[in-house]
Amino acid sequence: MKNCTAHKTYAAYGIVLLALVIAIPFQAAGEKANKTQRILARGDYEYPPYEFLDSSGTPAGYNVDLMWEIARVMGLDVEIRLGPWAEVRGELEKKRIDMLLGMYHSPERDRLVDFSAPHTIIHHTIFVRKGSAIKTLKDLRDKQVIVQKGDIMHDYAVENDISRHLILTDSQIDALRSLSSGKYDAALLAESQGLYNAEKYSLINITTAGPPFQPREYCFAVREGDRELCHALNRGIAILKSTGSYERIYNKWLGPMKGPSPAIEWLFPWGIAGILLLIAAIAAAFAWTWTLKRQVKQRTSELNEELARRKLAEAELRITNTLLVTQQETALDGILIVDNQRTILSYNRRFAEIWAIPESVLESRSDDLALSFVSRQLADPSGFMALVQHLYDHPGETSSDEIPLVDGRILARYSSPIFSGPGERLGRVWYFRDITGEKQAINKILESETRYRALFENANDAIFTLQDNIFVDCNTKTCEMFGCTRDDVIGSSPSRFSPVFQPDGSDSAKKS
């Protein structure tokens, strides 16, 4: 059994890491994920125990076994080729291949490729020769530090300006061999992998300095935008974990590591000097084991805290998403949300009802297909499409208008960009509301007012409109009967058009 640590307590560490991976939600595809074309997967040819070429030149390792098992359960046709890391990474970023067997996630890399759910968490550390004065990352500032070209530690060292003298190698094994030979001062590598290779190639003068750092999610990486393959890989990982296949593969390559073989010590002359050396080695092993126990305990505690924080954040996110979905589904408006590439991200049932769009069209996630279906219902399709194109050409603008349909309905349309932060636009949201009833009600009121005005103006009797004992309007007949203009009437009191005395003899001015 291969090993990636020097102490059995890493078994407990592995269980915690496995629980963390299981806790991270993945989006399972609703239908059976199956790519009919052959998938070209590449990886690093010198990255044991994760991926490497064995003595016969055949791809082997943890990532390779995991990929073959996922291909089997998901029905994928996969071809695996290994090569130099910088080369295979560049091929994926240029979309010349379908995926990489293993890649550490980072926000910078996520802009170039898409990542599956993580299947392993890997820590990194400083490797030095025994007796080195280097203890922390701060000690590397003026040292010659080896990193693998294109590796996550290469990115980390550049971003954080770890050393003025970075030495690039093609593989992790080359880095360890150069360090062991005394050529350079230190190397930044994955902890488990470095220990594995140091033991495999008998680099007995290599050790680690300081506690592990930079825990990274180790994932499959696919071409940017290949959601189908990403979903298939996520589902495959979930199936392997539920059936126990994942644990079998993990234990095969990354199980508890055996202690270094003491046989090398017997190459020294026996006698007192040999005994003293053996005693010193045992004492050093005990001290190293005690230190490692403390480090593992600390890391386990940190991972448990991180797991608790993630579970809380996930619970809060589920509640928020539930509220948002509920609000969207109970809204009076039809709502459609698209991303910057005009792919449909979300819609509610009211949107589908207003436009009578088949579910198959919306599930295609194609905004162009949805627009093609909608255009058949428009009284002015060219005007509708012109505004849509204008808003996509001017992503920062908002818009509000009314849309007449061929069936007589009238829709109010509103559109606005969606931002996640200053200058970071995620897409566009469209709102549609059926205002046919409101328009009909307004038209009826206008028609009623028109009829009333006609009756008012054409009446044979003088008609005044009075408000707070002041005339506010009169008809044409009033002006004819009293020999005045409408301006004379409006604003005056009734007493002006009354006789001096009422029939009962009272003063009209006082009565008014």
Side-chain angles (χ1 to χ4, degrees):
M1 178 181 293
K2 299 292 182 181
N3 301 288
C4 63
T5 179
H7 196 269
K8 65 182 180 180
T9 51
Y10 261 5
Y13 184 29
I15 293 173
V16 174
L17 291 177
L18 182 58
L20 178 59
V21 173
I22 294 174
I24 300 175
F26 61 87
Q27 180 181 3
E31 66 282 349
K32 180 179 179 181
N34 183 22
K35 292 178 75 74
T36 57
Q37 72 274 19
R38 169 161 288 195
I39 297 168
L40 178 54
R42 299 210 63 185
D44 193 335
Y45 71 139
E46 284 191 303
Y47 206 74
Y50 297 102
E51 50 196 42
F52 59 95
L53 294 174
D54 63 16
S55 57
S56 64
T58 302
Y62 166 78
N63 294 344
V64 175
D65 283 3
L66 199 62
M67 186 68 250
W68 286 134
E69 193 66 14
I70 289 174
R72 184 185 67 81
V73 300
M74 296 302 297
L76 303 176
D77 183 10
V78 177
E79 177 183 0
I80 295 178
R81 300 179 192 169
L82 304 185
W85 173 246
E87 172 190 312
V88 299
R89 175 181 172 180
E91 286 191 347
L92 181 64
E93 292 175 356
K94 295 174 182 177
K95 299 187 177 181
R96 295 174 180 170
I97 60 175
D98 297 294
M99 62 172 291
L100 293 180
L101 297 176
M103 192 175 193
Y104 297 109
H105 177 273
S106 72
E108 294 75 18
R109 291 177 169 186
D110 206 6
R111 298 189 184 101
L112 302 174
V113 300
D114 283 345
F115 288 86
S116 72
H119 50 73
T120 315
I121 304 295
I122 297 177
H123 291 75
H124 295 79
T125 192
I126 307 170
F127 283 84
V128 296
R129 288 183 298 279
K130 292 179 180 178
S132 171
I134 296 173
K135 303 299 180 186
T136 68
L137 290 170
K138 293 181 179 179
D139 298 332
L140 301 177
R141 189 74 183 94
D142 297 309
K143 304 297 183 181
Q144 292 181 311
V145 180
I146 316 168
V147 292
Q148 183 182 7
K149 184 179 180 181
D151 182 66
I152 195 70
M153 283 294 98
H154 184 189
D155 298 346
Y156 176 81
V158 172
E159 291 168 7
N160 295 277
D161 196 21
I162 295 297
S163 170
R164 295 189 178 94
H165 312 287
L166 283 183
I167 310 300
L168 304 185
T169 64
D170 290 331
S171 72
Q172 305 254 334
I173 296 172
D174 288 344
L176 286 171
R177 284 172 172 164
S178 296
L179 178 63
S180 178
S181 69
K183 196 171 183 181
Y184 303 111
D185 302 303
L188 297 181
L189 305 171
E191 181 186 41
S192 57
Q193 185 186 28
L195 293 173
Y196 172 92
N197 287 321
E199 180 188 57
K200 180 177 179 180
Y201 295 98
S202 300
L203 304 177
I204 60 174
N205 65 334
I206 295 293
T207 188
T208 59
F213 63 94
Q214 280 292 301
R216 289 285 184 167
E217 296 176 335
Y218 199 37
C219 316
F220 294 113
V222 303
R223 288 189 297 183
E224 180 74 8
D226 194 347
R227 298 179 181 178
E228 181 183 358
L229 179 56
C230 196
H231 291 172
L233 295 172
N234 287 344
R235 186 162 180 79
I237 292 171
I239 292 173
L240 263 56
K241 288 179 179 178
S242 66
T243 60
S245 297
Y246 174 87
E247 183 178 3
R248 174 179 56 79
I249 296 170
Y250 186 95
N251 288 338
K252 173 184 175 182
W253 294 101
L254 306 171
M257 192 174 186
K258 298 176 183 177
S261 172
I264 192 69
E265 304 295 342
W266 297 102
L267 297 176
F268 294 97
W270 56 87
I272 296 177
I275 294 173
L276 290 176
L277 285 173
L278 181 60
I279 293 173
I282 293 172
F286 275 114
W288 181 74
T289 300
W290 179 79
T291 302
L292 187 59
K293 281 183 178 180
R294 291 189 59 187
Q295 293 175 357
V296 171
K297 183 178 180 180
Q298 179 183 350
R299 287 295 176 184
T300 302
S301 176
E302 292 173 356
L303 285 172
N304 285 333
E305 292 177 1
E306 177 64 20
L307 180 59
R309 286 195 294 270
R310 288 198 181 195
K311 286 183 176 179
L312 179 60
E314 289 166 9
E316 293 174 348
L317 182 59
R318 283 195 296 271
I319 293 173
T320 301
N321 287 341
T322 300
L323 290 174
L324 291 175
V325 171
T326 301
Q327 292 174 355
Q328 182 171 306
E329 288 301 324
T330 56
L332 296 176
D333 297 332
I335 301 173
L336 175 70
I337 301 174
V338 297
D339 64 14
N340 294 327
Q341 287 71 44
R342 299 177 64 169
T343 299
I344 295 175
L345 298 179
S346 179
Y347 62 90
N348 65 353
R349 284 176 292 181
R350 182 59 181 150
F351 174 79
E353 291 170 357
I354 287 176
W355 291 104
I357 301 179
E359 193 72 17
S360 59
V361 173
L362 293 172
E363 286 299 324
S364 72
R365 301 297 177 182
S366 171
D367 185 49
D368 291 335
L369 187 59
L371 284 172
S372 176
F373 188 87
V374 164
S375 64
R376 309 169 195 169
Q377 308 175 51
L378 302 169
D380 180 19
S382 60
F384 180 95
M385 296 300 180
L387 180 58
V388 170
Q389 188 59 50
H390 174 80
L391 291 177
Y392 281 129
D393 292 340
H394 301 80
E397 292 187 13
T398 60
S399 174
S400 178
D401 64 341
E402 294 180 1
I403 307 167
L405 305 185
V406 293
D407 61 6
R409 289 182 296 151
I410 299 176
L411 302 182
R413 171 176 61 174
Y414 175 76
S415 180
S416 173
I418 303 173
F419 294 93
S420 64
E424 190 173 348
R425 189 176 59 84
L426 300 180
R428 178 169 289 275
V429 60
W430 300 85
Y431 297 91
F432 299 91
R433 177 175 292 189
D434 190 338
I435 59 172
T436 308
E438 299 172 17
K439 285 290 186 180
Q440 290 173 345
I442 293 172
N443 290 337
K444 287 180 180 179
I445 292 172
L446 293 175
E447 290 173 3
S448 177
E449 290 180 350
T450 301
R451 287 196 299 271
Y452 163 77
R453 195 69 193 178
L455 292 172
F456 180 78
E457 289 295 339
N458 296 322
N460 290 322
D461 298 319
I463 302 175
F464 294 90
T465 302
L466 191 67
Q467 181 177 336
D468 296 330
N469 208 35
I470 297 295
F471 291 125
V472 294
D473 200 3
C474 67
N475 64 353
T476 304
K477 196 65 176 179
T478 299
C479 297
E480 294 175 357
M481 291 178 64
F482 288 93
C484 63
T485 65
R486 183 167 292 175
D487 291 338
D488 294 332
V489 176
I490 296 174
S492 62
S493 64
S495 62
R496 179 177 178 184
F497 298 92
S498 301
V500 178
F501 297 101
Q502 295 291 314
D504 61 359
S506 60
D507 188 333
S508 293
K510 292 180 180 181
K511 196 171 184 72
S512 62

